[in-house]
Amino acid sequence: MTTAEITLFIAKSLSISTSSKNLEEINKVLKSQKIDWDLFVKISTSQLVLPTLYCNYKRNNLLPFLPDDLVAYMHEITSINIDRNLQIIEQINELNTLLSQNGVNPIFIKGAGNLIQGLYEDPAERMIGDIDFLVSKSEYDVSAKILSGHNYRTVSSLGYNFPNFKHHPRICNDDHIAAVEIHKEMIVEKYASEFNYETIKNNIIQNNGFSVLGYDDQKALCIFSNQINDYGFDYKTIGLKNAYDFLLLNSKEPGTDFTSNFNKLKTPILCFLASVNYIFGDIITNFYQDRKVKNYLKQFKCLLHSPRERKIYSRIISIKLFLEDRIKIILRSFVNKEYRGWLFKRISDKRWQREKLVQLKLKKPSNNRL
């Protein structure tokens, strides 16, 4: 099986609990025993959906069709993940209590929000990195001070942090398992006027003492996290973790009419829906496809099925985004004191200088000895 075929097989496997058509198809493929399991593990691991697949196969009694050593490996990873997620739930409880007692209302977003509202049938399904929560701008710095007073410290050891538009630098506590990101924004500055705290605050859901986004806003953020924040729209890629989250959220409150709430962001949303619909096998209905979306989907399919073209295209986009980002930082440093300070510290950093000299082949990498 090719990389594209395995990717589509994994995507449809993620939807077998919501699509009887895909369950029947995956059942047949598994019984055929024509699967490249090494590639399956490689892709599902890189996409952070291996526990998700295990839970879906287990629910649908399909594990007997997998190799025994693979089942054992997937079980081990899933067991580690459930232990981690249970600890994360405890940490979210503590954060919610601490901040609420100090007059701050954290709105838990992305994986953390999904986990505490019980989106997943099995909490072992979702692999979660950081705990992300959103607060109003008036609560933004206050939240950081509260957590700083309770042994949370900046993860980075550089001594300086990039002036991030969306959130404070990642912080951690040695007594807890997950790093934390305090957000005042959910999306990059270019599109923030269309999706921000003010646009979501009236739709917030209260769930057992926790605040989460409304379902349409959760679906939108799931899409924007992939399409905008992770540059999926530029690279024409889909994160299977985001696709799975969207599938579950859409099953809670079906519909794609929330796209009408956006202007510049409408096309990225529709392109995501078209791409997800393709990889899941036409299980999403009633979304509009104009010429831009159809052209996007055509290129998405082409890149998915052509590894060589994907490699070339990704390299071009990577260089383009890199140059745009660096130019933006330099221009902003002329008018923004925070950017200027960061840039000066960055180019003065001996470690950074050495790293760049090594990358340019002007200096040999150091040998780290134990």
Side-chain angles (χ1 to χ4, degrees):
M1 298 179 80
T2 65
T3 298
E5 288 171 337
I6 287 290
T7 301
L8 293 174
F9 170 76
I10 290 171
K12 289 181 179 179
S13 293
L14 292 172
S15 60
I16 56 178
S17 294
T18 56
S19 169
S20 57
K21 179 185 71 171
N22 284 350
L23 174 59
E24 183 179 349
E25 180 178 338
I26 294 303
N27 203 332
K28 289 179 180 177
V29 176
L30 286 172
K31 289 179 179 178
S32 74
Q33 295 295 312
K34 294 179 180 179
I35 300 164
D36 184 337
W37 291 114
D38 289 337
L39 190 55
F40 170 89
V41 171
K42 180 181 178 181
I43 294 174
S44 59
T45 301
S46 67
Q47 292 276 349
L48 302 178
V49 293
L50 194 68
T52 318
L53 291 166
Y54 177 80
C55 291
N56 273 278
Y57 287 149
K58 183 178 180 180
R59 268 198 298 273
N60 291 279
N61 302 312
L62 296 177
L63 289 177
F65 300 108
L66 276 64
D68 291 342
D69 57 343
L70 175 58
V71 172
Y73 175 70
M74 295 175 76
H75 174 75
E76 181 182 0
I77 298 299
T78 305
S79 296
I80 293 171
N81 196 52
I82 184 61
D83 289 343
R84 175 180 168 80
N85 282 355
L86 291 175
Q87 292 181 64
I88 286 176
I89 290 172
E90 290 182 8
Q91 187 177 353
I92 291 173
N93 271 288
E94 183 180 298
L95 287 166
N96 190 59
T97 300
L98 174 61
L99 292 166
S100 298
Q101 288 176 345
N102 285 275
V104 173
N105 178 36
I107 304 157
F108 291 94
I109 58 176
K110 300 196 284 189
N114 295 344
L115 194 61
I116 60 170
Q117 70 178 318
L119 180 64
Y120 309 107
E121 187 172 334
D122 188 331
E125 290 182 32
R126 180 62 145 81
M127 298 189 82
I128 295 174
D130 299 339
I131 296 173
D132 297 85
F133 65 82
L134 173 72
V135 292
S136 66
K137 290 183 178 179
S138 63
E139 297 171 327
Y140 183 57
D141 290 330
V142 174
S143 301
K145 290 179 181 178
I146 292 170
L147 297 188
S148 177
H150 286 79
N151 301 319
Y152 278 88
R153 55 177 175 76
T154 304
V155 171
S156 173
S157 60
L158 290 175
Y160 59 92
N161 295 289
F162 182 75
N164 197 300
F165 172 74
K166 293 187 299 175
H167 56 76
H168 272 292
R170 293 172 71 238
I171 56 177
C172 64
N173 183 313
D174 291 337
D175 295 327
H176 293 290
I177 195 165
V180 174
E181 285 189 354
I182 306 168
H183 288 253
K184 62 179 173 64
E185 302 287 352
M186 297 171 286
I187 193 169
V188 297
E189 190 171 3
K190 180 180 179 180
Y191 300 103
S193 62
E194 289 193 15
F195 190 65
N196 54 55
Y197 181 86
E198 293 300 317
T199 66
I200 63 88
K201 66 180 182 181
N202 294 329
N203 304 319
I204 294 171
I205 297 172
Q206 300 298 324
N207 192 304
N208 296 322
F210 297 92
S211 295
V212 296
L213 300 177
Y215 279 118
D216 280 349
D217 293 327
Q218 288 184 59
K219 287 190 281 188
L221 179 56
C222 178
I223 294 171
F224 300 150
S225 294
N226 179 92
Q227 290 287 77
I228 306 301
N229 295 341
D230 292 339
Y231 303 105
F233 186 65
D234 295 284
Y235 284 105
K236 294 179 175 58
T237 56
I238 284 292
L240 294 180
K241 184 172 66 171
N242 298 79
Y244 182 69
D245 283 351
F246 178 83
L247 184 67
L248 296 185
L249 289 165
N250 202 48
S251 69
K252 295 286 186 181
E253 190 168 297
T256 57
D257 53 332
F258 66 92
T259 59
S260 62
N261 300 330
F262 302 99
N263 182 19
K264 291 185 292 185
L265 286 165
K266 186 171 184 177
T267 296
I269 291 173
L270 293 174
C271 289
F272 177 92
L273 294 176
S275 303
V276 167
N277 191 50
Y278 172 68
I279 66 171
F280 279 144
D282 299 321
I283 63 173
I284 301 173
T285 59
N286 300 323
F287 66 93
Y288 176 68
Q289 293 192 57
D290 59 16
R291 181 175 55 83
K292 288 182 180 179
V293 176
K294 290 178 180 177
N295 288 339
Y296 180 97
L297 182 59
K298 181 179 179 181
Q299 193 169 9
F300 173 86
K301 292 178 181 178
C302 177
L303 294 172
L304 177 63
H305 291 277
S306 306
R308 184 173 178 275
E309 290 186 32
R310 160 61 66 195
K311 186 176 181 180
I312 295 170
Y313 182 81
S314 296
R315 180 61 177 164
I316 293 170
I317 295 300
S318 179
I319 293 171
K320 174 180 174 288
L321 293 174
F322 174 84
L323 292 174
E324 288 178 351
D325 185 56
R326 293 306 181 267
I327 291 171
K328 182 173 68 175
I329 291 172
I330 292 170
L331 292 176
R332 285 199 170 186
S333 68
F334 286 110
V335 296
N336 187 300
K337 183 179 179 181
E338 192 176 6
Y339 274 82
R340 190 161 56 249
W342 177 85
L343 185 60
F344 176 77
K345 289 177 181 177
R346 188 65 166 165
I347 62 178
S348 303
D349 188 334
K350 299 295 183 183
R351 289 171 293 183
W352 179 83
Q353 293 173 6
R354 182 178 182 85
E355 177 186 322
K356 295 305 167 188
L357 288 172
V358 170
Q359 289 176 356
L360 293 170
K361 310 296 184 183
L362 298 175
K363 197 175 186 71
K364 293 182 179 180
S366 59
N367 293 319
N368 295 322
R369 296 178 180 176
L370 296 176

mmCIF file of all heavy atoms in Angstrom, residues 147-180:
data_model
loop_
_atom_site.group_PDB
_atom_site.id
_atom_site.type_symbol
_atom_site.label_atom_id
_atom_site.label_comp_id
_atom_site.label_asym_id
_atom_site.label_seq_id
_atom_site.Cartn_x
_atom_site.Cartn_y
_atom_site.Cartn_z
ATOM 1 N N LEU A 147 -0.629 31.955 38.303
ATOM 2 C CA LEU A 147 0.062 30.680 38.136
ATOM 3 C C LEU A 147 1.538 30.793 38.494
ATOM 4 O O LEU A 147 2.123 29.844 39.020
ATOM 5 C CB LEU A 147 -0.112 30.170 36.693
ATOM 6 C CG LEU A 147 -1.552 29.856 36.284
ATOM 7 C CD1 LEU A 147 -1.574 29.186 34.914
ATOM 8 C CD2 LEU A 147 -2.241 28.972 37.310
ATOM 9 N N SER A 148 2.133 31.940 38.236
ATOM 10 C CA SER A 148 3.521 32.157 38.637
ATOM 11 C C SER A 148 3.664 32.062 40.147
ATOM 12 O O SER A 148 4.672 31.557 40.665
ATOM 13 C CB SER A 148 3.993 33.526 38.143
ATOM 14 O OG SER A 148 5.317 33.799 38.581
ATOM 15 N N GLY A 149 2.650 32.521 40.866
ATOM 16 C CA GLY A 149 2.658 32.447 42.323
ATOM 17 C C GLY A 149 2.399 31.058 42.857
ATOM 18 O O GLY A 149 2.471 30.829 44.080
ATOM 19 N N HIS A 150 2.092 30.119 41.965
ATOM 20 C CA HIS A 150 1.852 28.724 42.369
ATOM 21 C C HIS A 150 2.819 27.786 41.629
ATOM 22 O O HIS A 150 2.454 26.709 41.161
ATOM 23 C CB HIS A 150 0.396 28.327 42.113
ATOM 24 C CG HIS A 150 -0.557 28.932 43.111
ATOM 25 N ND1 HIS A 150 -0.968 30.253 43.016
ATOM 26 C CD2 HIS A 150 -1.152 28.420 44.237
ATOM 27 C CE1 HIS A 150 -1.796 30.511 44.028
ATOM 28 N NE2 HIS A 150 -1.919 29.423 44.770
ATOM 29 N N ASN A 151 4.031 28.247 41.541
ATOM 30 C CA ASN A 151 5.174 27.435 41.069
ATOM 31 C C ASN A 151 5.164 27.085 39.584
ATOM 32 O O ASN A 151 5.820 26.125 39.175
ATOM 33 C CB ASN A 151 5.302 26.149 41.901
ATOM 34 C CG ASN A 151 5.509 26.441 43.375
ATOM 35 O OD1 ASN A 151 6.257 27.351 43.730
ATOM 36 N ND2 ASN A 151 4.833 25.693 44.228
ATOM 37 N N TYR A 152 4.434 27.839 38.783
ATOM 38 C CA TYR A 152 4.539 27.680 37.343
ATOM 39 C C TYR A 152 5.635 28.607 36.831
ATOM 40 O O TYR A 152 5.703 29.770 37.221
ATOM 41 C CB TYR A 152 3.209 28.008 36.647
ATOM 42 C CG TYR A 152 2.235 26.859 36.659
ATOM 43 C CD1 TYR A 152 1.349 26.680 37.723
ATOM 44 C CD2 TYR A 152 2.190 25.935 35.614
ATOM 45 C CE1 TYR A 152 0.449 25.620 37.747
ATOM 46 C CE2 TYR A 152 1.297 24.874 35.622
ATOM 47 C CZ TYR A 152 0.427 24.718 36.687
ATOM 48 O OH TYR A 152 -0.459 23.657 36.707
ATOM 49 N N ARG A 153 6.485 28.072 35.975
ATOM 50 C CA ARG A 153 7.615 28.848 35.446
ATOM 51 C C ARG A 153 7.693 28.650 33.934
ATOM 52 O O ARG A 153 7.155 27.683 33.383
ATOM 53 C CB ARG A 153 8.930 28.382 36.085
ATOM 54 C CG ARG A 153 9.174 26.897 35.941
ATOM 55 C CD ARG A 153 10.495 26.430 36.503
ATOM 56 N NE ARG A 153 10.620 24.975 36.450
ATOM 57 C CZ ARG A 153 10.872 24.274 35.348
ATOM 58 N NH1 ARG A 153 11.053 24.907 34.197
ATOM 59 N NH2 ARG A 153 10.960 22.955 35.378
ATOM 60 N N THR A 154 8.378 29.567 33.267
ATOM 61 C CA THR A 154 8.519 29.490 31.819
ATOM 62 C C THR A 154 9.307 28.251 31.418
ATOM 63 O O THR A 154 10.338 27.950 32.019
ATOM 64 C CB THR A 154 9.232 30.745 31.289
ATOM 65 O OG1 THR A 154 8.520 31.906 31.717
ATOM 66 C CG2 THR A 154 9.289 30.731 29.771
ATOM 67 N N VAL A 155 8.822 27.543 30.407
ATOM 68 C CA VAL A 155 9.482 26.324 29.947
ATOM 69 C C VAL A 155 10.835 26.637 29.328
ATOM 70 O O VAL A 155 11.827 25.958 29.574
ATOM 71 C CB VAL A 155 8.586 25.593 28.922
ATOM 72 C CG1 VAL A 155 9.349 24.441 28.262
ATOM 73 C CG2 VAL A 155 7.320 25.075 29.597
ATOM 74 N N SER A 156 10.893 27.679 28.511
ATOM 75 C CA SER A 156 12.126 28.026 27.811
ATOM 76 C C SER A 156 13.216 28.444 28.790
ATOM 77 O O SER A 156 12.961 29.153 29.769
ATOM 78 C CB SER A 156 11.879 29.166 26.826
ATOM 79 O OG SER A 156 13.087 29.613 26.257
ATOM 80 N N SER A 157 14.424 27.999 28.525
ATOM 81 C CA SER A 157 15.575 28.351 29.370
ATOM 82 C C SER A 157 16.436 29.436 28.725
ATOM 83 O O SER A 157 17.524 29.737 29.214
ATOM 84 C CB SER A 157 16.436 27.106 29.622
ATOM 85 O OG SER A 157 16.919 26.574 28.400
ATOM 86 N N LEU A 158 15.950 30.025 27.637
ATOM 87 C CA LEU A 158 16.738 31.026 26.919
ATOM 88 C C LEU A 158 16.916 32.310 27.711
ATOM 89 O O LEU A 158 17.911 33.010 27.567
ATOM 90 C CB LEU A 158 16.071 31.346 25.570
ATOM 91 C CG LEU A 158 16.102 30.259 24.498
ATOM 92 C CD1 LEU A 158 15.305 30.696 23.278
ATOM 93 C CD2 LEU A 158 17.538 29.932 24.113
ATOM 94 N N GLY A 159 15.921 32.642 28.519
ATOM 95 C CA GLY A 159 15.984 33.899 29.256
ATOM 96 C C GLY A 159 15.257 35.024 28.527
ATOM 97 O O GLY A 159 15.167 36.146 29.018
ATOM 98 N N TYR A 160 14.757 34.740 27.341
ATOM 99 C CA TYR A 160 13.961 35.706 26.584
ATOM 100 C C TYR A 160 12.964 34.937 25.739
ATOM 101 O O TYR A 160 13.194 33.794 25.363
ATOM 102 C CB TYR A 160 14.851 36.586 25.698
ATOM 103 C CG TYR A 160 15.673 35.819 24.685
ATOM 104 C CD1 TYR A 160 15.202 35.593 23.392
ATOM 105 C CD2 TYR A 160 16.933 35.310 25.022
ATOM 106 C CE1 TYR A 160 15.962 34.889 22.459
ATOM 107 C CE2 TYR A 160 17.691 34.595 24.094
ATOM 108 C CZ TYR A 160 17.206 34.396 22.822
ATOM 109 O OH TYR A 160 17.951 33.693 21.908
ATOM 110 N N ASN A 161 11.831 35.550 25.456
ATOM 111 C CA ASN A 161 10.764 34.859 24.736
ATOM 112 C C ASN A 161 10.267 35.693 23.570
ATOM 113 O O ASN A 161 10.215 36.928 23.636
ATOM 114 C CB ASN A 161 9.583 34.581 25.684
ATOM 115 C CG ASN A 161 9.942 33.615 26.788
ATOM 116 O OD1 ASN A 161 10.122 32.427 26.561
ATOM 117 N ND2 ASN A 161 10.055 34.131 28.010
ATOM 118 N N PHE A 162 9.906 35.005 22.495
ATOM 119 C CA PHE A 162 9.361 35.677 21.330
ATOM 120 C C PHE A 162 8.035 36.334 21.699
ATOM 121 O O PHE A 162 7.219 35.732 22.398
ATOM 122 C CB PHE A 162 9.154 34.669 20.193
ATOM 123 C CG PHE A 162 8.641 35.277 18.926
ATOM 124 C CD1 PHE A 162 9.486 36.014 18.115
ATOM 125 C CD2 PHE A 162 7.311 35.133 18.561
ATOM 126 C CE1 PHE A 162 9.019 36.593 16.934
ATOM 127 C CE2 PHE A 162 6.837 35.699 17.393
ATOM 128 C CZ PHE A 162 7.696 36.434 16.580
ATOM 129 N N PRO A 163 7.803 37.573 21.279
ATOM 130 C CA PRO A 163 6.551 38.270 21.612
ATOM 131 C C PRO A 163 5.350 37.667 20.885
ATOM 132 O O PRO A 163 4.940 38.148 19.828
ATOM 133 C CB PRO A 163 6.824 39.712 21.164
ATOM 134 C CG PRO A 163 7.903 39.617 20.141
ATOM 135 C CD PRO A 163 8.744 38.439 20.534
ATOM 136 N N ASN A 164 4.799 36.610 21.440
ATOM 137 C CA ASN A 164 3.714 35.866 20.800
ATOM 138 C C ASN A 164 2.399 36.634 20.871
ATOM 139 O O ASN A 164 2.009 37.117 21.936
ATOM 140 C CB ASN A 164 3.562 34.498 21.478
ATOM 141 C CG ASN A 164 2.765 33.522 20.633
ATOM 142 O OD1 ASN A 164 1.613 33.769 20.305
ATOM 143 N ND2 ASN A 164 3.388 32.403 20.279
ATOM 144 N N PHE A 165 1.725 36.725 19.740
ATOM 145 C CA PHE A 165 0.464 37.452 19.668
ATOM 146 C C PHE A 165 -0.654 36.727 20.402
ATOM 147 O O PHE A 165 -1.527 37.357 21.007
ATOM 148 C CB PHE A 165 0.065 37.636 18.198
ATOM 149 C CG PHE A 165 -1.312 38.201 17.990
ATOM 150 C CD1 PHE A 165 -1.579 39.537 18.226
ATOM 151 C CD2 PHE A 165 -2.360 37.382 17.553
ATOM 152 C CE1 PHE A 165 -2.854 40.061 18.030
ATOM 153 C CE2 PHE A 165 -3.633 37.895 17.360
ATOM 154 C CZ PHE A 165 -3.881 39.242 17.602
ATOM 155 N N LYS A 166 -0.640 35.383 20.351
ATOM 156 C CA LYS A 166 -1.780 34.608 20.843
ATOM 157 C C LYS A 166 -1.730 34.290 22.331
ATOM 158 O O LYS A 166 -2.757 34.328 23.007
ATOM 159 C CB LYS A 166 -1.886 33.284 20.069
ATOM 160 C CG LYS A 166 -2.240 33.433 18.618
ATOM 161 C CD LYS A 166 -2.486 32.055 17.993
ATOM 162 C CE LYS A 166 -1.242 31.185 18.083
ATOM 163 N NZ LYS A 166 -1.440 29.815 17.619
ATOM 164 N N HIS A 167 -0.559 33.950 22.837
ATOM 165 C CA HIS A 167 -0.504 33.435 24.209
ATOM 166 C C HIS A 167 0.807 33.773 24.902
ATOM 167 O O HIS A 167 1.805 34.102 24.259
ATOM 168 C CB HIS A 167 -0.719 31.922 24.221
ATOM 169 C CG HIS A 167 0.248 31.159 23.367
ATOM 170 N ND1 HIS A 167 1.552 30.924 23.745
ATOM 171 C CD2 HIS A 167 0.102 30.570 22.150
ATOM 172 C CE1 HIS A 167 2.163 30.227 22.800
ATOM 173 N NE2 HIS A 167 1.318 30.008 21.812
ATOM 174 N N HIS A 168 0.781 33.660 26.223
ATOM 175 C CA HIS A 168 1.986 33.809 27.028
ATOM 176 C C HIS A 168 2.955 32.662 26.691
ATOM 177 O O HIS A 168 2.525 31.614 26.180
ATOM 178 C CB HIS A 168 1.647 33.734 28.526
ATOM 179 C CG HIS A 168 1.284 35.053 29.126
ATOM 180 N ND1 HIS A 168 2.183 36.077 29.288
ATOM 181 C CD2 HIS A 168 0.090 35.515 29.613
ATOM 182 C CE1 HIS A 168 1.584 37.107 29.846
ATOM 183 N NE2 HIS A 168 0.311 36.799 30.053
ATOM 184 N N PRO A 169 4.232 32.833 26.986
ATOM 185 C CA PRO A 169 5.165 31.713 26.828
ATOM 186 C C PRO A 169 4.680 30.492 27.616
ATOM 187 O O PRO A 169 4.054 30.632 28.675
ATOM 188 C CB PRO A 169 6.475 32.259 27.417
ATOM 189 C CG PRO A 169 6.364 33.737 27.272
ATOM 190 C CD PRO A 169 4.909 34.059 27.455
ATOM 191 N N ARG A 170 4.936 29.304 27.094
ATOM 192 C CA ARG A 170 4.521 28.067 27.755
ATOM 193 C C ARG A 170 5.110 28.012 29.166
ATOM 194 O O ARG A 170 6.271 28.352 29.380
ATOM 195 C CB ARG A 170 4.989 26.839 26.973
ATOM 196 C CG ARG A 170 4.318 26.697 25.628
ATOM 197 C CD ARG A 170 4.943 25.580 24.801
ATOM 198 N NE ARG A 170 4.632 24.262 25.334
ATOM 199 C CZ ARG A 170 5.544 23.372 25.714
ATOM 200 N NH1 ARG A 170 6.828 23.667 25.670
ATOM 201 N NH2 ARG A 170 5.174 22.189 26.154
ATOM 202 N N ILE A 171 4.290 27.597 30.106
ATOM 203 C CA ILE A 171 4.749 27.492 31.482
ATOM 204 C C ILE A 171 4.526 26.071 31.986
ATOM 205 O O ILE A 171 3.683 25.329 31.453
ATOM 206 C CB ILE A 171 4.038 28.502 32.407
ATOM 207 C CG1 ILE A 171 2.505 28.327 32.327
ATOM 208 C CG2 ILE A 171 4.446 29.929 32.052
ATOM 209 C CD1 ILE A 171 1.734 29.235 33.268
ATOM 210 N N CYS A 172 5.275 25.685 32.991
ATOM 211 C CA CYS A 172 5.143 24.332 33.541
ATOM 212 C C CYS A 172 5.334 24.373 35.043
ATOM 213 O O CYS A 172 5.832 25.358 35.612
ATOM 214 C CB CYS A 172 6.154 23.381 32.904
ATOM 215 S SG CYS A 172 7.875 23.811 33.240
ATOM 216 N N ASN A 173 4.917 23.314 35.680
ATOM 217 C CA ASN A 173 5.055 23.129 37.120
ATOM 218 C C ASN A 173 5.655 21.742 37.332
ATOM 219 O O ASN A 173 5.136 20.759 36.793
ATOM 220 C CB ASN A 173 3.677 23.244 37.785
ATOM 221 C CG ASN A 173 3.730 23.144 39.293
ATOM 222 O OD1 ASN A 173 4.379 22.270 39.857
ATOM 223 N ND2 ASN A 173 3.015 24.046 39.959
ATOM 224 N N ASP A 174 6.724 21.654 38.073
ATOM 225 C CA ASP A 174 7.419 20.374 38.244
ATOM 226 C C ASP A 174 6.538 19.297 38.884
ATOM 227 O O ASP A 174 6.842 18.101 38.773
ATOM 228 C CB ASP A 174 8.684 20.570 39.093
ATOM 229 C CG ASP A 174 9.758 21.377 38.366
ATOM 230 O OD1 ASP A 174 9.715 21.398 37.120
ATOM 231 O OD2 ASP A 174 10.607 21.980 39.039
ATOM 232 N N ASP A 175 5.455 19.711 39.537
ATOM 233 C CA ASP A 175 4.563 18.745 40.183
ATOM 234 C C ASP A 175 3.435 18.272 39.274
ATOM 235 O O ASP A 175 2.607 17.460 39.676
ATOM 236 C CB ASP A 175 3.957 19.353 41.451
ATOM 237 C CG ASP A 175 5.010 19.632 42.504
ATOM 238 O OD1 ASP A 175 5.996 18.875 42.573
ATOM 239 O OD2 ASP A 175 4.850 20.625 43.253
ATOM 240 N N HIS A 176 3.420 18.793 38.036
ATOM 241 C CA HIS A 176 2.342 18.431 37.111
ATOM 242 C C HIS A 176 2.904 17.989 35.773
ATOM 243 O O HIS A 176 4.008 18.354 35.392
ATOM 244 C CB HIS A 176 1.378 19.594 36.922
ATOM 245 C CG HIS A 176 0.609 19.934 38.162
ATOM 246 N ND1 HIS A 176 -0.366 19.112 38.676
ATOM 247 C CD2 HIS A 176 0.675 20.995 38.999
ATOM 248 C CE1 HIS A 176 -0.878 19.649 39.769
ATOM 249 N NE2 HIS A 176 -0.255 20.800 39.991
ATOM 250 N N ILE A 177 2.101 17.245 35.024
ATOM 251 C CA ILE A 177 2.598 16.558 33.834
ATOM 252 C C ILE A 177 2.577 17.411 32.571
ATOM 253 O O ILE A 177 3.401 17.222 31.673
ATOM 254 C CB ILE A 177 1.783 15.254 33.612
ATOM 255 C CG1 ILE A 177 2.514 14.341 32.626
ATOM 256 C CG2 ILE A 177 0.363 15.559 33.145
ATOM 257 C CD1 ILE A 177 1.983 12.923 32.621
ATOM 258 N N ALA A 178 1.639 18.356 32.471
ATOM 259 C CA ALA A 178 1.464 19.096 31.218
ATOM 260 C C ALA A 178 1.901 20.551 31.346
ATOM 261 O O ALA A 178 1.732 21.176 32.400
ATOM 262 C CB ALA A 178 0.002 19.041 30.771
ATOM 263 N N ALA A 179 2.450 21.077 30.260
ATOM 264 C CA ALA A 179 2.715 22.510 30.185
ATOM 265 C C ALA A 179 1.389 23.228 29.938
ATOM 266 O O ALA A 179 0.403 22.619 29.517
ATOM 267 C CB ALA A 179 3.707 22.802 29.070
ATOM 268 N N VAL A 180 1.379 24.524 30.200
ATOM 269 C CA VAL A 180 0.149 25.318 30.104
ATOM 270 C C VAL A 180 0.376 26.514 29.197
ATOM 271 O O VAL A 180 1.435 27.141 29.246
ATOM 272 C CB VAL A 180 -0.294 25.798 31.511
ATOM 273 C CG1 VAL A 180 -1.488 26.738 31.412
ATOM 274 C CG2 VAL A 180 -0.629 24.609 32.406
#
